[in-house]
């Protein structure tokens, strides 16, 4: 299986399909990430707040895979926003991962009520300048939250990781990201387990001999998003990875896109007005 890559606005390449570890128990993380690496994933998505960076790092160390073949993302938690606190949090993430650089470091949420995300971005720019984060980006930013950051930025974020799945397509955010050269990365790509229930999508799955989950992951790839599905089960990790031997036609992409429920499809928090 060859995973396609996307070239980011800073010239680095990211595997378009990765493996997420949100809600993966820290005690099980090493085993689960080892399974994902065995399946073939080379792009891992964690965060300080997940509490499992140590397990991710242990699996990487144990794997013996060349560091240059891996793409590792982690994220700055809200309460660590600021300048020195962000720099310190980044050092701690690197130490927990046992790495001397990450491929991508994200501001996890705008957490706009704190009034510190622009300052935090400047700290991420400092980190990027040292090479210890090859790329920097944001997560859960809407256009209205992203604009003030862009106004102050010397480095345009390379990605914006946002909730995105067939039932909840943030089309305005995606258009804004694209307009600014920012790649959209889909979190909750399988609707956090609430897969699409639609006869048209079932028919596409039957046509290719694939599951609905595989069709959904393929749809993310075909619309140009980075996608990071999660599973604790090795057979599902393999299922979710086996999506590079087929592609949807534009009409089939449209069938999946047609299930969009707008705001009613949202699973996670709305970053606008969030107070965490
Ligand atoms: P997801 O959409 O990847 O759904 C995962 C769930 O879907 C699994 O727990 C399982 O119940 C089900 N599933 C997985 N494979 C399946 C299959 N083949 N068939 C049927 N069901 C299947 O949800 P997620 O874990 O929330 O999102 C993926 C990743 O995105 C996370 O692990 C994390 O890395 C990232 N994320 C980021 C944020 C953020 O704020 N930036 C928020 C949530 C998640």
């Amino acid at each position: 299986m060859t995973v396609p890559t996307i070239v980011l606005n800073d010239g680095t390449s990211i595997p378009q399909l990765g493996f997420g570890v949100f809600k993966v128990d820290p005690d099980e993380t090493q085993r689960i990430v080892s399974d994902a690496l065995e399946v073939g994933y080379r792009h891992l998505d964690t965060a300080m707040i997940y509490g499992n960076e140590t397990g991710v790092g242990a699996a990487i160390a144990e794997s013996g895979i060349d560091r240059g073949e891996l793409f590792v993302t982690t994220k700055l938690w809200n309460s660590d926003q600021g300048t020195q606190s962000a720099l310190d949090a980044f050092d701690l993430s690197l130490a927990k991962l046992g790495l001397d650089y990450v491929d991508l470091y994200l501001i996890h949420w705008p957490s706009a009520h704190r009034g510190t995300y622009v300052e935090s971005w400047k700290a991420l720019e400092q980190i990027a300048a040292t090479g210890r984060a090859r790329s920097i980006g944001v997560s859960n930013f809407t256009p209205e939250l992203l604009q003030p950051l862009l106004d102050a930025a010397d480095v345009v974020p390379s990605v914006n990781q946002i909730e995105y799945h067939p039932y909840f397509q943030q089309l305005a955010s995606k258009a804004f990201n694209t307009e600014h050269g920012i790649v959209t990365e889909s979190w909750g790509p399988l609707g956090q387990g609430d897969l699409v229930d639609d006869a048209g999508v079932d028919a596409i799955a039957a046509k290719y001999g694939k599951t609905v989950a595989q069709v959904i992951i393929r749809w993310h790839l075909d619309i140009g998003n980075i996608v990071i599905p999660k599973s604790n089960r090795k057979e599902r990790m393999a299922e979710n990875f086996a999506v590079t031997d087929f592609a949807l036609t534009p009409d089939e992409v449209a069938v999946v896109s047609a299930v969009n429920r707008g705001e009613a499809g949202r699973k996670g928090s709305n970053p606008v007005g969030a107070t965490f």
Side-chain angles (χ1 to χ4, degrees):
M1 301 282 174
T2 305
V3 172
T5 54
I6 291 182
V7 178
L8 301 174
N9 59 11
D10 55 17
T12 64
S13 291
I14 182 170
Q16 203 180 349
L17 172 61
F19 182 75
V21 295
F22 178 46
K23 289 195 175 159
V24 172
D25 187 323
D27 292 337
E28 282 192 281
T29 302
Q30 184 173 353
R31 190 274 298 168
I32 287 170
V33 173
S34 295
D35 283 352
L37 293 171
E38 270 179 40
V39 163
Y41 292 89
R42 291 294 179 267
H43 166 182
L44 304 170
D45 183 272
T46 184
M48 172 76 88
I49 196 66
Y50 302 168
N52 56 23
E53 289 167 308
T54 303
V56 171
I60 290 171
E62 181 192 54
S63 74
I65 297 168
D66 190 57
R67 177 67 184 91
E69 286 180 33
L70 294 169
F71 191 101
V72 181
T73 300
T74 194
K75 312 185 191 90
L76 174 72
W77 185 240
N78 304 349
S79 56
D80 292 322
Q81 282 197 17
T83 303
Q84 193 57 47
S85 50
L87 298 174
D88 291 346
F90 178 76
D91 287 346
L92 189 56
S93 282
L94 270 193
K96 286 186 172 175
L97 287 162
L99 299 176
D100 52 16
Y101 70 92
V102 294
D103 296 277
L104 179 61
Y105 194 47
L106 304 177
I107 297 181
H108 203 149
W109 289 84
S111 198
H113 66 293
R114 295 173 196 270
T116 50
Y117 70 77
V118 172
E119 178 188 344
S120 303
W121 183 251
K122 302 311 284 181
L124 264 64
E125 290 183 342
Q126 279 188 50
I127 292 166
T130 69
R132 292 183 310 145
R134 297 276 164 97
S135 297
I136 52 175
V138 296
S139 178
N140 297 301
F141 276 67
T142 59
E144 68 188 284
L145 293 162
L146 200 41
Q147 190 60 59
L149 185 152
L150 292 174
D151 291 343
D154 292 310
V155 177
V156 174
S158 55
V159 312
N160 186 8
Q161 184 183 116
I162 57 176
E163 181 180 349
Y164 208 101
H165 44 86
Y167 284 145
F168 186 58
Q169 298 165 47
Q170 301 203 60
L171 298 172
S173 287
K174 176 156 178 173
F176 186 86
N177 292 341
T178 304
E179 185 190 325
H180 291 88
I182 301 166
V183 178
T184 299
E185 177 167 17
S186 302
W187 71 249
L190 295 171
Q192 300 193 317
D194 182 10
L195 300 183
V196 172
D197 184 8
D198 179 83
V201 176
D202 289 346
I204 296 169
K207 172 184 162 187
Y208 291 108
K210 293 286 179 180
T211 64
V212 168
Q214 289 172 318
V215 170
I216 295 170
I217 294 167
R218 186 66 234 182
W219 171 84
H220 287 278
L221 298 178
D222 288 332
I223 62 173
N225 289 7
I226 301 162
V227 58
I228 46 170
K230 171 244 170 182
S231 178
N232 286 353
R233 291 160 48 180
K234 195 172 184 183
E235 69 276 13
R236 278 186 168 171
M237 296 177 198
E239 177 185 333
N240 297 344
F241 196 67
V243 293
T244 54
D245 56 352
F246 77 117
L248 304 183
T249 66
D251 285 351
E252 289 163 350
V253 167
V255 168
V256 180
S257 299
V259 308
N260 193 8
R261 293 175 173 165
E263 191 55 38
R266 188 192 289 277
K267 292 278 178 187
S269 301
N270 188 337
V272 176
T275 53
F276 58 93

